[in-house]
Amino acid sequence: MTDIIIVGAGPAGLTAAIYAQRAGRKAVVFEASVYGGQIVNTPEIENYPAIKKISGYEFAQTLYEQAKDLGAEIKMERVVGIKDGGSVKTVVTDKGEYECRAVILATGAKNRPLGLENEKALIGKGVSYCATCDGMFFRGKTVAVAGGGNTAVEDAFFLSNYCEKVYLIHRRDEFRAHEREVEKLRAKENVEFVLNKNVTALREDGGRLCAVEVTDKNTNEKQELSVAGLFVAIGQSPDNTAFENVASLADGGYIKAGEDCLTGTDGIFTAGDCRTKAVRQLTTAASDGAAAALAASGYIDSMDI
Amino acid sequence: MAAVVVTSANFEAEVLKADKPVIVDFWASWCGPCKMLSPVIEDIADTEDSVKVASVNVDDEMGLASQYGISSIPTLLVFKGGQLVNQSVGVIGRDEILALAK
């Protein structure tokens, strides 16, 4: 039987695998798509201690190899549920069932969609969640960014270097993004701030996005902006509904847990962006991975006595 | 067999006139998610005889990318008998990729 099964091979999950293996536990990590998590979308990481600059891709690749070299097994299977049999947990995937002694949920978070009717159909046809991946396809065109956090402001800045015009649509008139970044963006002549407005409809022409409808939060006045692209950067949302039987979820779907990474269910731990926390960064994901793995290892020790 | 590198010059011969379903991966070297997907694509190319796998570097082949309306990468297009039959945007797993070509 596996000692610790980790659900999710992002930075938190793979760090947990490293700590588990180094604590002498056999760790198996399950990943539904590809390892690395959200960090692979980041072109340059410049805030991870002792690494001055690294691409998200290279970071993910190195972390994966480090975990594998220590003996962790990474399986490409989607976990669909967990059966809690007390001292033995059964992890159910789309391919089979696996018994283990402890589970670490490190399911991460995904880009939050606007939730508009035709949004999904327009992904890749004007709607994007990754400005650094897709910006070049909109060279010389007019685009919009939706959001008010660091990602939205950084995306708008990045796009302003390629695009004819960039609208930054934000539902408030204040930004969560760092003031310094907002000021940098204000200095850009081809960026227009569209504030106190929500994106309320996506217009299409021939199956591609051609305009967005924005609605003023205060006056309800509607306005249409002709754009070839819309970059959605309104934050992340988790998906932990498959684990409600073993972990209680807070509003928004995050797993309720503190810095100790305990879920309240014996033998079930959580790490990274999928849990309730104030700061969701690469460093805090790694930190959680360590805390959860050592807690899981300690739990197995306590069961052996 | 490794994925075939496709350009506008050989697209017709390698993709449209292929004798089995073709999965075409549009990617770029500066796109992190594309680079995560590449090993999965290469693995399918090496192990699955029922499909052919091709890759298009959008930096070199902007014409092909715009011809197929690509505005997000990675994008996978699936062709059967010269017809575009399926597509998917973003990183997906091996099984989901193969399901596109079923």
Side-chain angles (χ1 to χ4, degrees):
Chain A
M1 185 174 17
T2 302
D3 292 321
I4 303 172
I5 284 183
I6 299 162
V7 185
L14 290 174
T15 303
I18 290 171
Y19 271 80
Q21 289 292 139
R22 286 176 56 93
R25 305 296 177 187
K26 173 66 190 168
V28 178
V29 187
F30 286 96
E31 171 57 51
S33 63
V34 301
Y35 56 83
Q38 297 168 65
I39 199 65
V40 304
N41 292 318
T42 305
E44 282 173 356
I45 299 160
E46 293 177 287
N47 57 6
Y48 198 84
I51 300 176
K52 283 188 182 170
K53 193 190 271 194
I54 189 170
S55 72
Y57 165 76
E58 203 184 339
F59 184 91
Q61 206 63 34
T62 311
L63 183 57
Y64 170 77
E65 281 162 19
Q66 191 178 0
K68 267 196 91 158
D69 290 351
L70 283 164
E73 197 179 332
I74 290 122
K75 284 181 173 292
M76 295 303 166
E77 298 180 27
R78 180 184 300 276
V79 175
V80 295
I82 294 166
K83 295 181 207 162
D84 185 8
S87 60
V88 177
K89 323 280 184 198
T90 306
V91 172
V92 184
T93 75
D94 52 1
K95 297 212 179 90
E97 298 197 351
Y98 302 84
E99 289 188 341
C100 65
R101 305 182 70 188
V103 175
I104 298 173
L105 299 170
T107 55
K110 286 201 168 68
N111 291 315
R112 185 201 303 271
L114 289 163
L116 298 171
E117 198 192 344
N118 50 352
E119 181 176 359
K120 209 170 167 198
L122 289 172
I123 293 173
K125 297 181 170 65
V127 172
S128 170
Y129 301 85
C130 181
T132 51
C133 301
D134 303 335
M136 68 161 280
F137 296 107
F138 298 90
R139 191 183 291 274
K141 295 180 178 163
T142 296
V143 299
V145 175
N150 283 315
T151 306
V153 169
E154 284 164 18
D155 283 357
F157 190 85
F158 174 82
L159 292 164
S160 70
N161 296 325
Y162 291 90
C163 299
E164 188 183 26
K165 178 163 187 152
V166 180
Y167 293 106
L168 179 61
I169 305 166
H170 182 34
R171 64 195 159 102
R172 299 191 298 155
D173 55 6
E174 287 170 348
F175 288 90
R176 269 177 294 116
H178 299 312
E179 187 52 36
R180 207 177 67 137
E181 300 298 320
V182 177
E183 284 312 311
K184 254 169 69 182
L185 194 62
R186 282 190 204 282
K188 286 277 194 167
E189 279 179 5
N190 61 340
V191 175
E192 184 178 330
F193 286 64
V194 182
L195 302 179
N196 288 318
K197 290 183 175 61
N198 286 307
V199 179
T200 42
L202 307 175
R203 307 274 181 239
E204 50 186 294
D205 180 21
R208 298 193 70 85
L209 181 76
C210 66
V212 295
E213 178 197 81
V214 295
T215 303
D216 192 284
K217 202 180 66 179
N218 302 318
T219 65
N220 258 337
E221 194 181 322
K222 292 184 194 305
Q223 180 188 351
E224 257 187 40
L225 306 172
S226 291
V227 293
L230 172 66
F231 291 85
V232 180
I234 56 167
Q236 271 78 39
S237 61
D239 184 6
N240 295 310
T241 45
F243 310 113
E244 272 178 301
N245 63 321
V246 291
S248 56
L249 306 185
D251 287 347
Y254 293 100
I255 295 168
K256 277 188 196 164
E259 293 300 310
D260 55 11
C261 297
L262 307 180
T263 62
T265 303
D266 282 348
I268 308 283
F269 304 85
T270 182
D273 282 5
C274 67
R275 78 166 174 94
T276 51
K277 63 194 321 195
V279 180
R280 291 194 174 84
Q281 287 284 306
L282 194 51
T283 45
T284 61
S287 158
D288 273 13
L294 296 178
S297 185
Y299 161 80
I300 294 171
D301 277 339
S302 72
M303 298 292 283
D304 285 342
I305 292 168
Chain B
M1 201 174 82
V4 183
V5 176
V6 171
T7 65
S8 53
N10 67 358
F11 192 83
E12 189 175 354
E14 294 287 355
V15 176
L16 300 180
K17 293 194 168 157
D19 56 2
K20 48 187 171 183
V22 192
I23 300 168
V24 188
D25 174 24
F26 287 78
W27 71 286
S29 60
W30 37 261
C31 159
C34 300
K35 284 159 80 177
M36 299 308 294
L37 189 64
S38 293
V40 183
I41 292 291
E42 287 297 336
D43 180 57
I44 290 174
D46 287 341
T47 58
E48 294 290 333
D49 287 335
S50 60
V51 294
K52 180 174 179 176
V53 178
S55 75
V56 175
N57 182 328
V58 298
D59 275 334
D60 300 336
E61 297 295 334
M62 206 57 205
L64 269 183
S66 70
Q67 186 184 336
Y68 285 98
I70 307 290
S71 63
S72 282
I73 50 173
T75 285
L76 301 174
L77 301 185
V78 178
F79 290 85
K80 278 185 191 172
Q83 298 293 314
L84 175 64
V85 295
N86 225 333
Q87 56 185 306
S88 165
V89 177
V91 173
I92 55 173
R94 183 193 160 89
D95 293 349
E96 289 166 285
I97 296 172
L98 287 172
L100 293 172
K102 279 269 157 64

